[in-house]
Amino acid sequence: MVAVLTACGAGSGQGGEERQGKKERKAPTMDMQQAGQRSEAVLDGTLAAIRPAVKWAYGAPVESACSTGLNEPTGTTTVTRSRNILTVVSEQRRGNLLGLVQRHWEGQGFRVVSVNTDKDMPRIEAKGPDGVTVSLEVGSIGNVSLNAGLSCAENSAMTYPTGTPGRPGGPKTEEVRPREHSAFWSSEEPLRQ
């Protein structure tokens, strides 16, 4: 499951501000290739920070054209990349995972912008100083996904890592369901304080 992280319209950070009744748009800070590479680097760094390590697979990338409030193209596209964690993360360990990831992001200069503490489907989202947004969320079947992206990057050609679903060299569909067991992450024993 991949969600587009931010909208491109006014008030979304990248979309612009209201000034004298006109919408002014900020110039894109990256092109689509740079946004994709930066998102991959954020995801790779996040996964490397998870200890004990988890098994994962590439998620399906999403590109969504940005437009003005009147559906006019802007020459920019929101780019989102993702990773699906294939290690089973038990309900008892979800808080540990979210806390560990949050500390890593904050250590990298990201600012937490949203936290959903839902017992079954918690989610955390943070934004970096360069505009990249990253999230970790638990899905309805206990699947965990990491998403990173940039809103309204300048249109350009893009490349993808080998193994990206739906791209040359990758599977046709993404793997979502967790199936790998971990003595730590899959444990249903509560942690001792």
Side-chain angles (χ1 to χ4, degrees):
M1 166 193 270
V2 176
V4 174
L5 299 175
T6 55
C8 297
S12 68
Q14 292 284 60
E17 300 173 355
E18 285 284 331
R19 289 204 183 153
Q20 301 173 353
K22 283 182 147 181
K23 292 180 183 175
E24 289 186 17
R25 301 206 171 270
K26 291 182 181 179
T29 58
M30 297 181 208
D31 65 24
M32 289 171 64
Q33 175 68 18
Q34 292 167 325
Q37 289 174 326
R38 174 69 176 126
S39 297
E40 298 286 352
V42 169
L43 295 171
D44 289 341
T46 302
L47 287 163
I50 297 174
R51 292 287 176 241
V54 293
K55 303 258 186 197
W56 59 272
Y58 289 106
V62 175
E63 288 92 36
S64 175
C66 299
S67 68
T68 66
L70 302 174
N71 284 335
E72 297 166 339
T74 64
T76 60
T77 299
T78 294
V79 174
T80 305
R81 301 290 177 89
S82 65
R83 301 284 193 277
N84 297 320
I85 295 178
L86 302 180
T87 299
V88 175
V89 179
S90 69
E91 187 178 319
Q92 289 77 2
R93 296 292 194 255
R94 290 176 188 163
N96 299 91
L97 181 62
L98 271 77
L100 186 149
V101 167
Q102 178 178 343
R103 289 187 298 277
H104 168 72
W105 289 343
E106 290 172 340
Q108 300 298 306
F110 282 76
R111 178 179 51 87
V112 173
V113 295
S114 172
V115 176
N116 179 343
T117 58
D118 182 86
K119 178 178 163 285
D120 297 319
M121 296 192 323
R123 181 179 195 278
I124 185 169
E125 183 177 326
K127 189 164 189 170
D130 59 0
V132 171
T133 302
V134 63
S135 67
L136 182 147
E137 57 190 79
V138 177
S140 60
I141 59 171
N143 55 307
V144 179
S145 63
L146 281 164
N147 304 295
L150 182 74
S151 181
C152 299
E154 184 178 347
N155 288 351
S156 71
M158 279 198 302
T159 59
Y160 302 88
T162 302
T164 300
R167 305 296 175 197
K172 290 187 179 182
T173 59
E174 63 181 324
E175 238 181 308
V176 177
R177 187 172 297 278
R179 55 179 163 68
E180 301 287 336
H181 184 80
S182 160
F184 179 78
W185 294 115
S186 307
S187 174
E188 298 192 6
E189 294 294 320
L191 281 179
R192 295 177 193 210
Q193 298 294 337

